[in-house]
Amino acid sequence: MGMTGKEYIESLRKLKTRVYMFGEQIENWIDHPIIRPSINCVAMTYELATKPEYQDLMTAKSNLTGKTVNRFAHLHQSTDDLRKKVKMQRLLGQKTASCFQRCVGMDAFNAVYSTTFEVDEKYGTNYHKNFVEYLKFVQENDLIVDGAMTDPKGDRGLAPHAQRDPDLFLHIVERREDGIVVRGAKAHQTGSINSHEHIIMPTIAMGEADKDYAVSFACPSDVEGLYMIYGRQSCDTRKLEDNADVDLGNAKFGGQEALVVFDDVFIPNERIFLCGEYDFAGMLVERFAGYHRQSYGGCKVGVGDVVIGAAALAAEYNGAKKASHVKDKLIEMTHLNETLYCCGIACSAEGWKTKAGNYQIDLLLANVCKQNITRFPYEIVRLAEDIAGGLMVTMPAESDFKSDKVVGKNGETIGQICNKYFGANADVCTTEERMRVLRFLENICLGASAVGYRTESMHGAGSPQAQRIMISRQGNIEGKKELAKVIAGITKVDHGF
Amino acid sequence: MGMTGKEYIESLRKLKTRVYMFGEQIENWIDHPIIRPSINCVAMTYELATKPEYQDLMTAKSNLTGKTVNRFAHLHQSTDDLRKKVKMQRLLGQKTASCFQRCVGMDAFNAVYSTTFEVDEKYGTNYHKNFVEYLKFVQENDLIVDGAMTDPKGDRGLAPHAQRDPDLFLHIVERREDGIVVRGAKAHQTGSINSHEHIIMPTIAMGEADKDYAVSFACPSDVEGLYMIYGRQSCDTRKLEDNADVDLGNAKFGGQEALVVFDDVFIPNERIFLCGEYDFAGMLVERFAGYHRQSYGGCKVGVGDVVIGAAALAAEYNGAKKASHVKDKLIEMTHLNETLYCCGIACSAEGWKTKAGNYQIDLLLANVCKQNITRFPYEIVRLAEDIAGGLMVTMPAESDFKSDKVVGKNGETIGQICNKYFGANADVCTTEERMRVLRFLENICLGASAVGYRTESMHGAGSPQAQRIMISRQGNIEGKKELAKVIAGITKVDHGF
Amino acid sequence: MGMTGKEYIESLRKLKTRVYMFGEQIENWIDHPIIRPSINCVAMTYELATKPEYQDLMTAKSNLTGKTVNRFAHLHQSTDDLRKKVKMQRLLGQKTASCFQRCVGMDAFNAVYSTTFEVDEKYGTNYHKNFVEYLKFVQENDLIVDGAMTDPKGDRGLAPHAQRDPDLFLHIVERREDGIVVRGAKAHQTGSINSHEHIIMPTIAMGEADKDYAVSFACPSDVEGLYMIYGRQSCDTRKLEDNADVDLGNAKFGGQEALVVFDDVFIPNERIFLCGEYDFAGMLVERFAGYHRQSYGGCKVGVGDVVIGAAALAAEYNGAKKASHVKDKLIEMTHLNETLYCCGIACSAEGWKTKAGNYQIDLLLANVCKQNITRFPYEIVRLAEDIAGGLMVTMPAESDFKSDKVVGKNGETIGQICNKYFGANADVCTTEERMRVLRFLENICLGASAVGYRTESMHGAGSPQAQRIMISRQGNIEGKKELAKVIAGITKVDHGF
Amino acid sequence: MGMTGKEYIESLRKLKTRVYMFGEQIENWIDHPIIRPSINCVAMTYELATKPEYQDLMTAKSNLTGKTVNRFAHLHQSTDDLRKKVKMQRLLGQKTASCFQRCVGMDAFNAVYSTTFEVDEKYGTNYHKNFVEYLKFVQENDLIVDGAMTDPKGDRGLAPHAQRDPDLFLHIVERREDGIVVRGAKAHQTGSINSHEHIIMPTIAMGEADKDYAVSFACPSDVEGLYMIYGRQSCDTRKLEDNADVDLGNAKFGGQEALVVFDDVFIPNERIFLCGEYDFAGMLVERFAGYHRQSYGGCKVGVGDVVIGAAALAAEYNGAKKASHVKDKLIEMTHLNETLYCCGIACSAEGWKTKAGNYQIDLLLANVCKQNITRFPYEIVRLAEDIAGGLMVTMPAESDFKSDKVVGKNGETIGQICNKYFGANADVCTTEERMRVLRFLENICLGASAVGYRTESMHGAGSPQAQRIMISRQGNIEGKKELAKVIAGITKVDHGF
């Protein structure tokens, strides 16, 4: 069926995506050492789908065409599909220990699919058909699509139309016969650079005055007028070092973020999914956010599995494997990680069928899921740092371990001295293996991948307070008060006995 | 179909159950004010099953007879059944704010059903058929059965057969042609007194020397030689007070615990489900414990709903409803409670089919569920106490509020003075309503029901460390280490790109 | 010097204190089983002061008279005195595992002393001299004085003068030549009944319209027009049972709360410490609350010591002493308890001298202290329940253990059966000793003493949010922002290198 | 009195300290961009001591010479000195937001001073006099001394003498008339490079077979045979970038770690403070660790102040200052930070006089202090990341904000686009100011300074489990059990009433 990882990477070369980093344009961004690890993560979403052992999780039968497609391009047809989504994400988290970016498109597909159905139903528009055609094209070509929601937002107290600069939320600047012209930007875009296509959605519920901001559409990554400015992150340039390997912790995979700028981009009518129906902006946001809060109950759990494994390895390499407090900390890490998984699975199992026919997760439980994600990975990291020991941050560089520079009275080199003093028990591991696992933990706890495992867990798919507001709304406090009134004897009930 | 709540209560009168409390035998235990609230909880498992609106959750179609039976007597036929079990438990928790006791039988049925199948398969015994016949009898007569596992245990470092007193674990003292005679006791039995029948299981994995202890069987509550000694609990005698109502907090429902003593009880062959096959004791324990750890993800969540509702009511009655910190605490309580529910649902959705054909929960996730239950209800209670305010524990008695005794210079009675100073805003509630909700919170936080909501959450279905051991065993730490080795570059893998 | 415990108890008999409970007046309240344990706690503040080994902590040299007085009647002359206060409270917590009530008077003395000095300085009033004379009388006669602050408060959104019932805050109803007449009530009064005297303070900062509410004064417990209505608490009537001992958990000591009603009480001029100077109400409240939030860093730590000891004993009696998880939980309990102590000591060590000359604690740290008190005892209790095991709440009554009623086939009594099955290892403890320690834990976790150790920790000396407001005010966030600006290079600073 | 910051930096140039980094020797390490921020921190310990407003905290009167010396070279003469130490550390944490390294020498001085006194007392050795003379030299010349304790340790289950490589713990390889020759290394040395001198101590309690490892001495940083290998840390090379400023977050200050290798270094007799008296190794370790665990209650609190201030600034710049959840998080951060301070102050206030005459902190409370330090900074960081928002890790580089590269249709440069979309409300701050505060938070949460604020908080002065062992030992559990026995009525006591 779909592309291999390698084919996906080659497919990117056909695009003329414009990427700027450190104040300059990056010509060959596909092979750029800082960007490539993030591309490799996406490649895994393709590669694993070609492996027989992962078919069940990685692919699905399209309800649109009846063909087998990558699950990331699938419309969920059952709660079983929703659970498989979470399991696919856990699998990919385990295989990359990073963000693999393709969920955001999948979550957009499912949210846009069901919302456009209801928009059309009310307004007689044609968005749902537009979207179905678009998704067939995506499925057919096995494309990755960045789902973009978050605008720069400016002053948070003001509505989109009331901002000092009208572009702080993406909006329609011109309406033509054949389409629209849009301007603005989407911030914090993890998967934008590595995607073939983009699907844009509004970021908040809107009123009538925000009509021009209530817009959803799709476009290719290299559409005229679109460019990206790269965000810089912890330890980014370590990847630029000569022969960098051990010091990277995770040499193959990584993450990134970019600002995607829409500099008067033209969108043809057939790629428009919302265009002024402001009263549906809220539904689209809520459904997308719901799916995406579910997602974290899969991907971050997979990364957590690797962190737990690394901490266990570090303990073994440090000779502390049998200490009861180490065992107990590993249990606690596992317990927290599986609690997150429970939330991901539960909001899936309790999913429901939309009017359009695809399945939506349980909104309350998905928000509970994400709220826990803003807490537990931090504690897992703290415990990992505890188990790893101080060496994680005091260890000399790979270049020291490999240096031939003589420093000792008996002609010992820097490399030999490093190996002498940081050497592990040879029965268990080599010094390099010990370095490798500690550098991976450095990477995930406070290096490049900490952005993905910690900060993204905090703010991705909405900051903690956003979930609390949803939990408050969905928690049915009035119903609970009535339960209490009955038990406390305030509301009298005759139970018949 | 089944009995109403009232019919159930009447059905107990036919039994000659022997109950001792405060050093004496209780003759009419069914109408005893301390015991009755606990019976009422069980009655609700009958009553709700007769209501059309709860049919889907409260009943199921028996795989043995094809007839509709109370779900508490059902063998789970799918993961859907497992999820419905959790929802039924949440419902009953909401309706009683107490332990309704009937799950322990349901969990025993499902564990014994699948285990006996595998025992028979290995040893050619007849236990599975015995059990199927027994369960048909239970379903047919809509009986409640106490599933009893925990022995007194004596010295925890010693195996059953090695204890100073051989009776500290229940065991076979005589094997006859037509059955066996057993001796010993089961401790911490919440539902024993209120049950028609008992199903007994061993409490730990066993070795060959413990053969006589590897025994499982069923018997009626009033079988010759069986009696129960009542445990005393916080505020128990408040229920004995004249006209007790408001001060009880939860006047209708409550909990209890008893020691069930088997004083050489005869068990006929057809009621025996395990008799010496010590190598299956562990499986029976693990399966039962698994189901029962799932159960807490339903029942305690339901109680939590009532606690949250009561805290919200208390805030309203106290005039603090709009304080942002109160709202935030209610959100936190909801978040914690729903996290527990996620665990209950997730271990159900991930259930699997046993050889016998019924469904077992996911063991890792069920243990994670119970582990969270040993923590979050305590924090929910803490937040409830915070919101309730000090009045919860400084308020005069109901008899003060109703007293005509004159104490004031202008002839004010005690009742009038209490109402004057503890009166709430009449627009929102009466003084009595405020008292009621605060007394309910007292009851659940540190009164009679704190036993069920807190201590039982801690120790029921196994103490916290028991779950940690299972989490450690089920957490696949070796697999996680391998994941980390690949990511850290210790195990080299060619991804093809 | 002062009275013995016994002499203190006898001294109460001379008073005509009016106490109502369960709707009736209690004539001999001093020997009433529900009240007596609370009196015994106060008696310990007298008794220990007579023991040479406790002199340094329990007594001090009065700055008013140069004589040795009970430290509870002392004005703190140094930060050393403040630390000794905390240590004295920890000692008494250890000896009673309850609230010993006398701190509230000590905290009132120190707050009124320094505040009246500043009132007089501004208004030329005579309050400070009044108070000094009063305190000499208290010191001379070794009296215990209840410091009363909390009014019923009614609608929390309204000022005292704006309440529907003017009496919801205590106020002056008449001003005479020789004094004033006051009306109202003080709620949640732990030590009122057992005190010789009362010192009354306003409960919030006030404006001009609240002038009549800005009142502080002293009066005897049996002054004409004053009476108390007893609050009912968890397990209160267990103390009324015949031969109650083991089941009480803590038979000698306990707590209580009462509503103190002022039914037009006359206060002579020389006992008035504030009378309309509303602008000082806030200072008095803040200083008293500061001292009282410090207090909890002593008394609750002492109770915590007993809880930790009891948990360790329970583990030993249960045969689980050596389990690594039990050891770790005891360490955690100790860690939390000593963190509380650190807060009590730190706000004392950082105390400062008032204009009047006595020492005030550090306000920020005292609020931090109390905030932790609203959390850690709950976790300590949770861990204690974990270690104790389920038997804590399933154990039969003392009367069962002692019952001669025959229940067994071989003539065994209820008592014998209880001892057979709940007996501990005779080498370590008797069954009764095991019961005793478990009943103590029941008492502190969810019985009578849970009110003192948990709810009082939450709401005594102000509810959690009250401390958060003070932490916010005292935390100097603007200063911290300036620090950050310098480090981040927003404010440029030349360091000279 | 002492040197200015600038003079200190110049004084380092006189040394021939050997430093290796990335496999090469660094010649001018003093001006090396990676190393200099760490030197600047030390410079602040000199600079602030010259400012009149900080004299009271930063200097003290030497008990050895009567002269005013930098407090970092002072022997604590009272608990007041101990509290001032903590306050000095908080001040320096506030001024550097980094580790300023000089405490480790101060803690070593005080531990060696009191321990050598007791060694001499027992063995008639001359170590105390040696040390006093040495300290006079340090005080006189205002030197900074690295106190080095941690050896590489090899297999943690084996004693020093039993390691596969005898050098894994530093030891005596030759004893001469005039001194000793030592070999080995000290790991995780934060202040080694920037120090004039080193004072070496053993790292664990020892037995007779470890005699050659029981050694303590002083030597200059550039003594023959001594060299250092630099550890690499998160974002280290960002400091090497051209014109790096904003992206550094904290451009002036930072931290570092090194391995210090002793390649057969000769130590003359007069600089030896322990030489084979293995029975005192434990005392030296415990006392040093005690002081150093106290230290964290000052320095990390100071850093915490800056983090709280930065989070408050970020909220203001983001326009979220007034959100109640933001305010509440700032209160929580303050509460946690001040709890740490309480611990630092309390173990100081409870200090005691050693036989030698200087003051030692309270060991139990100092361990409690450090245990909290292994937890709260992690939660403070989590809350800071929450408040900061995702932009902290998605923001383009400083070079983007300053780039003139044209990218927009209307000629907008990268810099203009970045300012357009990430600009803040000009009334509150410039875009650069917003970037600065977010980059500072990135730096402390997961950049270069996260090593100091997080990992060092975890492992510095001993890993969490080391403190738990000490808490267990110092917690007097037997005494607490006795308290519980009395209260529970197991030990009968006659209180006299």
Side-chain angles (χ1 to χ4, degrees), chain C residues 408-454:
Chain C
K409 288 186 174 168
N410 297 308
E412 301 96 335
T413 62
I414 293 178
Q416 284 168 333
I417 289 297
C418 286
N419 273 284
K420 174 183 176 73
Y421 287 115
F422 298 120
N425 186 339
D427 300 344
V428 181
C429 66
T430 63
T431 308
E432 186 185 303
E433 285 170 343
R434 190 181 184 202
M435 287 170 61
R436 283 190 178 278
V437 78
L438 292 177
R439 283 288 175 211
F440 167 69
L441 285 168
E442 181 204 28
N443 172 262
I444 205 88
C445 292
L446 41 77
S449 295
V451 171
Y453 189 52
R454 292 171 53 211

Side-chain angles (χ1 to χ4, degrees), chain C residues 221-355:
Chain C
S221 271
D222 58 353
V223 68
E224 197 273 327
L226 189 157
Y227 57 88
M228 296 148 189
I229 302 176
Y230 209 82
R232 92 165 299 182
Q233 301 190 333
S234 176
C235 298
D236 44 10
T237 54
R238 214 184 262 191
K239 294 171 197 155
L240 298 176
E241 295 173 10
D242 291 342
N243 305 313
D245 175 12
V246 176
D247 281 1
L248 297 180
N250 183 352
K252 187 81 183 180
F253 304 106
Q256 66 191 12
E257 305 280 343
L259 177 76
V260 182
V261 182
F262 291 79
D263 191 7
D264 289 354
V265 173
F266 172 73
I267 308 297
N269 284 330
E270 63 272 19
R271 285 291 188 258
I272 299 178
F273 312 135
L274 193 75
C275 188
E277 296 78 7
Y278 61 86
D279 50 333
F280 280 90
M283 179 190 285
L284 189 48
V285 171
E286 198 170 282
R287 290 193 177 173
F288 171 76
Y291 283 124
H292 209 45
R293 289 169 192 178
Q294 167 209 30
S295 286
Y296 280 70
C299 61
K300 299 306 181 198
V301 177
V303 180
D305 287 332
V306 187
V307 179
I308 295 166
L313 268 185
E316 193 175 324
Y317 292 175
N318 289 346
K321 187 185 169 179
K322 289 181 185 166
S324 69
H325 74 94
V326 168
K327 282 188 210 167
D328 198 61
K329 283 162 190 163
L330 290 170
I331 290 172
E332 185 63 18
M333 293 165 84
T334 305
H335 169 67
L336 293 173
N337 203 42
E338 298 294 339
T339 299
L340 298 177
Y341 185 57
C342 283
C343 295
I345 289 296
C347 69
S348 304
E350 295 293 305
W352 50 279
K353 194 173 183 170
T354 67
K355 282 188 180 177

Side-chain angles (χ1 to χ4, degrees), chain A residues 20-25 152 155-156 164-165 167-168 184-185 188 224-225 227 229-235 237-238 241 247 257 259 261 263-264 318 325 374-375 378 381-382 385-386 389-397 399-400 403 405 407-409 414 417-418 420-425 439 442 445-447 450-451 454-455 458-459 464-465, chain D residues 20-25 152 155-156 164-165 167-168 184-185 188 224-225 227 229-235 237-238 241 247 257 259 261 263-264 318 325 374-375 378 381-382 385-386 389-397 399-400 403 405 407-409 414 417-418 420-425 439 442 445-447 450-451 454-455 458-459 464-465:
Chain A
Y20 299 93
M21 188 196 293
F22 296 134
E24 299 297 335
Q25 183 160 8
D155 183 329
R156 274 132 207 265
R164 60 176 165 83
D165 178 338
D167 304 343
L168 288 173
H188 319 315
E224 197 273 326
Y227 58 88
I229 302 177
Y230 209 83
R232 93 164 299 183
Q233 301 189 334
S234 177
C235 298
T237 56
R238 213 185 264 191
E241 296 173 11
D247 282 1
E257 304 281 343
L259 178 76
V261 182
D263 191 6
D264 289 354
N318 289 345
H325 74 95
T374 68
R375 301 175 178 183
Y378 285 80
V381 156
R382 196 184 74 84
E385 286 186 43
D386 181 345
L391 193 55
M392 183 182 99
V393 295
T394 66
M395 192 166 47
S399 47
D400 291 305
S403 169
K405 169 90 182 175
V407 288
K409 287 184 174 168
I414 293 177
I417 290 296
C418 285
K420 175 183 175 76
Y421 287 115
F422 297 120
N425 186 340
R439 283 288 174 211
E442 181 203 28
C445 292
L446 39 78
V451 171
R454 292 171 54 211
T455 328
M458 181 65 80
H459 293 290
Q465 189 62 9
Chain D
Y20 299 93
M21 188 197 293
F22 296 135
E24 299 297 336
Q25 183 159 8
D155 184 330
R156 273 132 208 265
R164 61 177 166 84
D165 178 338
D167 304 342
L168 288 173
H188 318 316
E224 197 273 326
Y227 58 88
I229 301 176
Y230 209 82
R232 95 164 299 183
Q233 299 190 334
S234 176
C235 299
T237 55
R238 213 184 263 191
E241 295 174 11
D247 282 1
E257 305 280 343
L259 178 76
V261 182
D263 191 7
D264 289 357
N318 290 344
H325 74 95
T374 68
R375 302 176 177 183
Y378 284 81
V381 155
R382 196 184 73 84
E385 285 187 44
D386 182 344
L391 193 56
M392 183 182 99
V393 297
T394 66
M395 191 167 47
S399 46
D400 290 304
S403 170
K405 169 90 182 175
V407 287
K409 288 184 176 170
I414 294 177
I417 291 296
C418 286
K420 176 184 176 73
Y421 287 115
F422 297 121
N425 186 340
R439 282 292 173 210
E442 181 204 28
C445 292
L446 40 75
V451 171
R454 291 171 51 211
T455 329
M458 181 65 81
H459 294 290
Q465 189 61 12

Side-chain angles (χ1 to χ4, degrees), chain B residues 46-328:
Chain B
Y46 287 91
E47 188 66 21
L48 294 188
T50 67
K51 309 277 187 198
E53 66 268 39
Y54 302 126
Q55 291 287 316
D56 183 51
L57 291 185
M58 295 299 306
T59 65
K61 192 170 150 186
S62 169
N63 65 310
L64 304 179
T65 64
K67 293 186 195 160
T68 295
V69 297
N70 192 301
R71 185 175 294 281
F72 281 105
H74 184 54
L75 297 167
H76 314 299
Q77 297 301 304
S78 63
T79 59
D80 210 53
D81 267 355
L82 289 170
R83 287 192 300 122
K84 281 186 179 164
K85 172 193 161 184
V86 170
K87 291 176 186 193
M88 170 179 70
Q89 291 170 306
R90 183 170 185 168
L91 173 68
L92 277 155
Q94 293 175 336
K95 297 292 189 189
T96 60
S98 302
C99 174
F100 36 87
Q101 310 150 51
R102 206 167 167 185
C103 335
V104 80
M106 167 175 50
D107 296 338
F109 297 152
N110 277 279
V112 172
Y113 182 75
S114 70
T115 302
T116 52
F117 185 92
E118 299 185 36
V119 178
D120 286 2
E121 192 185 50
K122 177 165 178 188
Y123 290 110
T125 42
N126 215 22
Y127 302 141
H128 191 65
K129 193 179 140 288
N130 281 354
F131 179 73
V132 168
E133 289 310 310
Y134 176 67
L135 188 58
K136 282 186 197 166
F137 157 73
V138 168
Q139 290 180 343
E140 198 65 31
N141 295 283
D142 199 14
L143 301 179
I144 164 166
V145 181
D146 180 49
M149 181 165 274
T150 313
D151 296 83
K153 288 185 190 155
D155 184 330
R156 272 131 208 266
L158 301 176
H161 73 277
Q163 297 288 330
R164 61 179 165 83
D165 177 339
D167 305 342
L168 288 173
F169 285 75
L170 188 143
H171 61 127
I172 304 164
V173 291
E174 191 185 344
R175 290 169 202 269
R176 299 193 200 156
E177 193 74 6
D178 54 347
I180 55 175
V181 177
V182 298
R183 190 188 299 156
K186 292 289 179 179
H188 320 313
Q189 293 306 302
T190 315
S192 57
I193 293 172
N194 310 339
S195 293
H196 302 102
E197 288 271 326
H198 295 255
I199 185 162
I200 271 59
M201 298 164 286
T203 195
I204 49 169
M206 291 175 175
E208 193 172 356
D210 301 316
K211 244 175 78 164
D212 287 345
Y213 294 84
V215 61
S216 178
F217 58 85
C219 65
S221 270
D222 59 352
V223 68
E224 197 273 328
L226 189 156
Y227 57 88
M228 296 147 189
I229 302 176
Y230 209 81
R232 91 165 300 182
Q233 300 190 333
S234 177
C235 300
D236 44 10
T237 55
R238 214 185 262 191
K239 294 171 199 154
L240 298 177
E241 296 173 10
D242 290 343
N243 306 313
D245 175 12
V246 178
D247 282 0
L248 296 180
N250 184 351
K252 188 83 184 178
F253 304 106
Q256 66 191 11
E257 306 280 343
L259 178 77
V260 182
V261 182
F262 291 80
D263 191 9
D264 289 356
V265 173
F266 172 73
I267 308 296
N269 285 332
E270 63 273 21
R271 286 288 188 259
I272 299 178
F273 314 133
L274 193 75
C275 189
E277 297 78 7
Y278 61 86
D279 49 334
F280 280 91
M283 180 191 285
L284 189 47
V285 171
E286 199 170 282
R287 291 194 178 174
F288 171 77
Y291 283 124
H292 210 44
R293 288 169 193 178
Q294 167 210 28
S295 286
Y296 280 70
C299 62
K300 299 306 179 197
V301 177
V303 181
D305 287 332
V306 188
V307 178
I308 295 166
L313 268 186
E316 193 174 323
Y317 293 175
N318 289 345
K321 187 185 171 181
K322 289 180 184 166
S324 69
H325 74 96
V326 167
K327 282 187 211 166
D328 199 61

Side-chain angles (χ1 to χ4, degrees), chain A residues 99-168:
Chain A
C99 174
F100 36 88
Q101 310 148 52
R102 208 169 165 182
C103 337
V104 77
M106 167 176 48
D107 294 341
F109 298 152
N110 277 279
V112 172
Y113 183 76
S114 70
T115 303
T116 52
F117 185 92
E118 299 186 33
V119 179
D120 287 2
E121 193 184 49
K122 177 166 177 187
Y123 290 109
T125 41
N126 215 21
Y127 303 140
H128 191 64
K129 191 180 141 288
N130 281 353
F131 179 73
V132 167
E133 289 312 307
Y134 176 67
L135 189 57
K136 282 186 195 162
F137 157 74
V138 168
Q139 289 181 344
E140 198 65 32
N141 293 284
D142 200 13
L143 300 179
I144 164 166
V145 181
D146 180 49
M149 181 164 273
T150 312
D151 296 84
K153 286 184 192 156
D155 183 329
R156 274 132 207 265
L158 301 176
H161 74 278
Q163 298 287 331
R164 60 176 165 83
D165 178 338
D167 304 343
L168 288 173

Side-chain angles (χ1 to χ4, degrees), chain A residues 37-319:
Chain A
S38 172
I39 296 175
N40 287 341
C41 290
V42 181
M44 284 297 267
T45 69
Y46 287 91
E47 188 66 22
L48 294 188
T50 68
K51 310 275 186 200
E53 66 267 39
Y54 301 127
Q55 292 287 316
D56 182 51
L57 290 185
M58 295 298 307
T59 66
K61 191 169 149 189
S62 169
N63 65 310
L64 303 180
T65 65
K67 295 186 194 159
T68 295
V69 297
N70 192 301
R71 185 175 294 280
F72 281 105
H74 184 54
L75 296 167
H76 315 298
Q77 297 301 306
S78 63
T79 59
D80 210 51
D81 267 354
L82 289 171
R83 287 193 299 121
K84 282 186 179 164
K85 173 193 161 183
V86 169
K87 291 177 183 190
M88 170 179 70
Q89 292 171 304
R90 184 170 185 168
L91 172 68
L92 277 156
Q94 292 175 336
K95 297 293 188 188
T96 60
S98 302
C99 174
F100 36 88
Q101 310 148 52
R102 208 169 165 182
C103 337
V104 77
M106 167 176 48
D107 294 341
F109 298 152
N110 277 279
V112 172
Y113 183 76
S114 70
T115 303
T116 52
F117 185 92
E118 299 186 33
V119 179
D120 287 2
E121 193 184 49
K122 177 166 177 187
Y123 290 109
T125 41
N126 215 21
Y127 303 140
H128 191 64
K129 191 180 141 288
N130 281 353
F131 179 73
V132 167
E133 289 312 307
Y134 176 67
L135 189 57
K136 282 186 195 162
F137 157 74
V138 168
Q139 289 181 344
E140 198 65 32
N141 293 284
D142 200 13
L143 300 179
I144 164 166
V145 181
D146 180 49
M149 181 164 273
T150 312
D151 296 84
K153 286 184 192 156
D155 183 329
R156 274 132 207 265
L158 301 176
H161 74 278
Q163 298 287 331
R164 60 176 165 83
D165 178 338
D167 304 343
L168 288 173
F169 285 76
L170 190 142
H171 61 124
I172 304 165
V173 289
E174 193 186 342
R175 289 170 203 265
R176 299 192 201 158
E177 191 76 6
D178 54 347
I180 54 174
V181 177
V182 297
R183 191 187 299 154
K186 291 290 180 179
H188 319 315
Q189 293 305 304
T190 315
S192 57
I193 294 173
N194 310 338
S195 293
H196 301 102
E197 289 270 328
H198 295 256
I199 187 162
I200 271 58
M201 296 164 285
T203 195
I204 48 169
M206 290 174 177
E208 192 173 357
D210 300 315
K211 245 174 78 165
D212 288 344
Y213 294 85
V215 61
S216 178
F217 58 86
C219 65
S221 270
D222 58 355
V223 69
E224 197 273 326
L226 189 156
Y227 58 88
M228 295 149 189
I229 302 177
Y230 209 83
R232 93 164 299 183
Q233 301 189 334
S234 177
C235 298
D236 44 11
T237 56
R238 213 185 264 191
K239 293 171 199 155
L240 298 177
E241 296 173 11
D242 292 342
N243 305 313
D245 176 11
V246 177
D247 282 1
L248 296 180
N250 184 351
K252 187 82 184 178
F253 304 106
Q256 66 191 11
E257 304 281 343
L259 178 76
V260 182
V261 182
F262 290 80
D263 191 6
D264 289 354
V265 173
F266 173 74
I267 308 297
N269 284 332
E270 63 272 21
R271 286 290 187 258
I272 298 177
F273 313 135
L274 192 76
C275 188
E277 295 78 8
Y278 62 87
D279 49 333
F280 281 90
M283 180 191 283
L284 188 48
V285 171
E286 198 170 283
R287 291 195 178 172
F288 171 77
Y291 283 124
H292 209 45
R293 289 169 192 177
Q294 167 209 30
S295 286
Y296 280 71
C299 62
K300 299 307 179 198
V301 177
V303 180
D305 287 332
V306 187
V307 178
I308 295 165
L313 268 186
E316 193 174 324
Y317 293 174
N318 289 345

